[in-house]
Amino acid sequence: MRASVAGCKMSIGALLNGLLVSVVAALLWKYSKLSEHAALLEEELHMTQQSQEVSQAHIDYHVALQALQDHGTRMVCTGKMHTDRICRFDYLCYCSEAEEFVFFHSNSSVMLPNLGSRRFQPALLDLSSVEDHNTQYFNFLELPAAALKFMPKPVFVPDVTLILNRFNPDNLMHVFHDDLIPAFYTMMQYSDLDDEARLVFMEGWGEGPHFDLYRLLSSKQPLLKEQLKNFGKLMCFTKSYVGLSKMTTWYQYGFVQPQGPKANMLVSGNEIRQFARVLMDKMNITRVEEKDGGSSEDEKGKRDEYIVLFSRSTTRLILNEAELIMALAQEFQMRVVTVSLEEQSFPSTVQVISGASMLISMHGAQLITSLFLPRGAVVVELFPFAVNPEQYTPYKTLATLPGMDLHYVSWRNTKEENTITHPDKPWDQGGIIHLEKEEQERILASKDVPRHLCCRNPEWLFRIYQDTLVDIPSFLEVLKEGMKTKPSVRRSKPASTVHPGRVREPQCQTSVQTTNEAKLTVSWQIPWNLKYLKVRELKYEVWIQEQGENTYMPYILPQQNYTFSENIKPFTTYLVWVRCIFNKNLLGPFADVLMCRT
């Protein structure tokens, strides 16, 4: 009996010990899970804080991470070729260790266009507005979303971002032509790339001397590639656009063929002026008011007219600058103001230029500021000895864009004795002493820089970095001669770019006169928008083509109906097209083709 009681006690003791061990184990397991959960929460809180260091926008880190793990990256692009493509991404990531963008695949990922290996021929898209340059290509690496388990926790950027390359942020011409204007209109193209969007520059340059201009595009500080590594090893952009529109560029720099205007320009001066107005507003610059296409002669008389001369202090000097200023003041009876980007702020320089009647400068990047000139102003570009103005025309092309309404004049130093060369300087400032003696002698003997490709032609650099003593008589003669062809800027100027619509109600009637003669009468009504426009000259273009033939007969007519008999054959079907022409060169679309049987 005692033995069985003792056994019972031992069983109860063992049972209690077992229960105690189980409870302690459960508590330890729960504590471990709580600690693990707490650590995960702490890590997510830390990553959220890191994300908010990038942006003040709130982000739910757990939701963002879950979205990336479940749905991966999504991409939808516009454009058929890498040269005209811009892509929108959800959850595109960047690995700062590998310096590569990463596309995470899941069952919910989207990749349009799905190019396969064609994505590398040569790239998905251009990161800058400079077309098909092999230093500007964009692509990404691919990983399954499951790989995120083995990678550093991502930092999420909640801002809508525009990811691009600046082409050459040290040069003011490149800053405007390649970066600012294309970025401005790319942001206008997509409604969520607004003033709160963030720009991310991936070319690897530092801020550069003009970084304040990039800041004007957004209320948020742009990010440089070098800064991305400060926020973690893996950075994911919740919504981003990659690439830049090329529609606003007007010049190609000579990488494939010698530099010159783009063959397929799509921009007019109206878009450039709209950009200039917005930028001036952001710089708090009061500008000369432009009403309905430009100042009238009366309005010009009311404001102070003056000439602006760009002064340079290091390279490409005008050696007799004071004498040139006096000659200009005497010739045009205007005061002459000098400006210098090396000594003045950019906004103060633009403030002066925005009211000038004439802007004069040696060839150089500072001439891009001519886009801030008022309508009707004159741009005068000076070229050193042996440099042909017809071969270097970025500013001439800008000034002569339709709707820019600027008058362009160039002057070239033709006297070798009026130039100072710098053969001993570094190669990128025109020095040639690093070249073979024979090549140096050839360059010194040359009187005209031949056409060349970009970007290190030593003869071009040697000549463009010369200092020049401007021959005042020849300069004034060229300027006065150029001013003779200056058109007046009228208020109605913008209306001249309005194209006609289709002619309405086109119809044809035919009649057979004899077995060899027939008549074809074509008539139509004026385009609908014509009744709202003032048009100086109105004509109509008619094409007539015999069915089955490859050639057509074109006619320019002043009236809305006409009877054709010459070359019109009986019992023949003719195809007829009609369109309207405003002011000699503004063509409307053709109306639907007519089929007329005689």
Side-chain angles (χ1 to χ4, degrees):
M1 184 71 178
R2 285 178 186 174
S4 89
V5 169
C8 183
K9 285 181 179 179
M10 285 178 67
S11 298
I12 292 171
L15 179 63
L16 289 172
N17 282 337
L19 285 170
L20 182 61
V21 169
S22 298
V23 169
V24 170
L27 288 171
L28 287 172
W29 182 84
K30 189 171 184 181
Y31 175 76
S32 171
K33 285 296 179 185
L34 285 171
S35 297
E36 188 179 321
H37 185 61
L40 187 62
L41 287 174
E42 187 177 347
E43 185 179 17
E44 285 189 4
L45 179 62
H46 174 67
M47 299 311 291
T48 302
Q49 288 171 341
Q50 277 196 288
S51 295
Q52 287 176 339
E53 283 179 24
V54 182
S55 170
Q56 295 302 309
H58 174 73
I59 186 167
D60 186 321
Y61 185 84
H62 180 73
V63 170
L65 182 59
Q66 197 68 46
L68 177 59
Q69 290 170 336
D70 292 349
H71 304 299
T73 306
R74 281 157 286 177
M75 176 191 88
V76 178
C77 304
T78 60
K80 292 183 178 181
M81 305 293 291
H82 73 279
T83 52
D84 65 353
R85 191 172 286 140
I86 296 175
C87 295
R88 174 191 156 158
F89 289 86
D90 293 337
Y91 294 100
L92 175 68
C93 297
Y94 178 74
C95 176
S96 57
E97 254 183 344
E99 295 191 348
E100 295 277 8
F101 284 94
V102 183
F103 186 107
F104 285 102
H105 282 278
S106 77
N107 292 333
S108 301
S109 291
V110 174
M111 187 187 286
L112 285 175
N114 199 325
L115 297 170
S117 61
R118 286 176 294 158
R119 183 162 61 82
F120 309 110
Q121 298 172 359
L124 176 65
L125 55 83
D126 293 334
L127 261 182
S128 85
S129 68
V130 177
E131 187 168 312
D132 203 23
H133 194 290
N134 60 8
T135 66
Q136 307 298 311
Y137 292 155
F138 170 84
N139 244 313
F140 49 75
L141 301 179
E142 297 173 78
L143 283 173
L148 285 161
K149 296 176 183 177
F150 311 103
M151 300 180 73
K153 289 287 185 182
V155 173
F156 290 98
V157 181
D159 304 319
V160 179
T161 57
L162 176 59
I163 299 171
L164 64 133
N165 275 2
R166 298 173 298 165
F167 189 69
N168 183 359
D170 286 349
N171 181 288
L172 195 62
M173 162 66 184
H174 289 289
V175 167
F176 274 89
H177 179 267
D178 307 337
D179 304 340
L180 294 179
I181 302 175
F184 176 80
Y185 280 104
T186 301
M187 294 172 77
M188 190 176 284
Q189 195 172 336
Y190 301 98
S191 59
D192 45 356
L193 283 174
D194 55 18
D195 190 53
E196 296 296 310
R198 190 182 296 277
L199 277 68
V200 181
F201 303 139
M202 295 303 301
E203 77 292 326
W205 292 64
E207 287 189 354
H210 309 294
F211 202 65
D212 283 345
L213 294 174
Y214 293 96
R215 289 189 177 101
L216 297 174
L217 294 177
S218 168
S219 62
K220 295 185 175 175
Q221 174 77 358
L223 288 176
L224 301 175
K225 179 181 179 181
E226 187 63 26
Q227 294 171 322
L228 299 186
K229 63 180 66 172
N230 299 333
F231 301 107
K233 293 182 178 179
L234 187 63
M235 200 169 189
C236 296
F237 301 93
T238 54
K239 183 187 288 186
S240 60
Y241 292 85
V242 182
L244 281 180
S245 168
K246 299 179 177 67
M247 288 190 290
T248 60
T249 57
W250 62 85
Y251 206 72
Q252 57 85 15
Y253 301 123
F255 298 114
V256 177
Q257 58 186 7
Q259 64 170 277
K262 284 178 63 175
N264 55 338
M265 278 188 283
L266 301 173
V267 68
S268 77
N270 295 319
E271 289 75 45
I272 303 299
R273 287 197 172 278
Q274 171 65 16
F275 163 81
R277 280 193 290 270
V278 171
L279 212 66
M280 288 171 71
D281 287 342
K282 288 178 178 287
M283 291 188 287
N284 297 315
I285 294 174
T286 49
R287 61 180 183 272
V288 177
E289 291 299 323
E290 294 179 352
K291 301 176 183 178
D292 299 327
S295 302
S296 68
E297 295 303 319
D298 290 342
E299 288 168 336
K300 283 185 180 180
K302 293 175 186 176
R303 74 168 193 254
D304 175 31
E305 289 201 66
Y306 56 90
I307 297 168
V308 171
L309 174 68
F310 258 113
S311 180
R312 299 173 66 108
S313 60
T314 54
T315 61
R316 237 170 288 169
L317 305 179
I318 297 174
L319 297 171
N320 56 337
E321 188 177 288
E323 185 185 353
L324 179 60
I325 290 169
M326 290 178 63
L328 286 165
Q330 186 174 353
E331 179 67 34
F332 294 98
Q333 293 299 298
M334 292 186 204
R335 65 188 178 97
V336 180
V337 181
T338 59
V339 293
S340 169
L341 290 174
E342 296 146 322
E343 297 173 6
Q344 294 166 248
S345 70
F346 188 78
S348 66
T349 302
V350 171
Q351 177 77 70
V352 175
I353 289 172
S354 67
S357 299
M358 186 183 298
L359 177 64
I360 302 173
S361 173
M362 291 298 296
H363 173 82
Q366 69 278 358
L367 269 169
I368 192 64
T369 57
S370 60
L371 62 87
F372 296 104
L373 283 167
R375 296 181 191 273
V378 181
V379 180
V380 185
E381 186 172 10
L382 285 65
F383 287 84
F385 177 76
V387 178
N388 186 346
E390 294 305 313
Q391 295 177 188
Y392 310 97
T393 61
Y395 313 110
K396 177 182 180 180
T397 307
L398 169 63
T400 55
L401 287 175
M404 204 64 207
D405 298 330
L406 297 174
H407 187 61
Y408 177 87
V409 178
S410 67
W411 172 86
R412 175 184 183 179
N413 176 26
T414 58
K415 299 182 177 181
E416 191 168 6
E417 64 270 21
N418 283 358
T419 190
I420 294 179
T421 60
H422 302 282
D424 298 331
K425 285 197 172 184
W427 71 267
D428 58 348
Q429 295 177 31
I432 57 173
I433 57 170
H434 63 289
L435 301 173
E436 296 290 334
K437 191 71 175 175
E438 187 178 333
E439 179 65 2
Q440 291 184 44
E441 291 172 354
R442 186 196 65 78
I443 290 173
L444 290 168
S446 173
K447 309 300 181 190
D448 208 345
V449 178
R451 292 181 71 83
H452 56 88
L453 297 181
C454 188
C455 298
R456 298 189 175 195
N457 183 281
E459 187 172 349
W460 150 251
L461 292 169
F462 175 71
R463 291 302 183 186
I464 199 60
Y465 277 105
Q466 296 171 110
D467 299 329
T468 302
L469 184 77
V470 175
D471 181 65
I472 303 293
S474 74
F475 173 75
L476 292 179
E477 184 63 32
V478 166
L479 189 50
K480 286 187 288 186
E481 194 64 30
M483 295 288 282
K484 289 179 182 177
T485 59
K486 180 189 174 189
S488 62
V489 180
R490 303 180 186 278
R491 288 191 175 197
S492 60
K493 183 73 173 180
S496 68
T497 62
V498 176
H499 288 257
R502 290 184 180 197
V503 298
R504 294 175 300 143
E505 302 174 25
Q507 51 188 297
C508 60
Q509 294 179 326
T510 61
S511 60
V512 176
Q513 307 300 307
T514 67
T515 54
N516 297 318
E517 294 180 24
K519 290 185 178 180
L520 169 61
T521 301
V522 183
S523 63
W524 56 88
Q525 298 298 315
I526 63 171
W528 175 81
N529 63 338
L530 182 59
K531 60 184 178 182
Y532 299 104
L533 299 172
K534 292 180 180 178
V535 179
R536 295 194 306 275
E537 186 177 359
L538 177 65
K539 289 190 177 179
Y540 298 94
E541 185 174 14
V542 179
W543 293 2
I544 300 177
Q545 182 182 50
E546 185 178 335
Q547 190 174 39
E549 296 294 323
N550 294 324
T551 59
Y552 61 86
M553 297 176 288
Y555 301 87
I556 302 294
L557 304 172
Q559 66 267 39
Q560 291 167 238
N561 61 77
Y562 193 82
T563 299
F564 301 90
S565 56
E566 187 179 351
N567 298 320
I568 302 299
K569 298 183 287 190
F571 315 113
T572 305
T573 300
Y574 290 95
L575 308 179
V576 180
W577 295 265
V578 184
R579 67 176 170 184
C580 185
I581 307 173
F582 285 177
N583 302 333
K584 295 184 179 179
N585 60 356
L586 295 171
L587 303 176
F590 280 110
D592 292 340
V593 62
L594 299 173
M595 295 192 70
C596 311
R597 176 76 177 173
T598 57

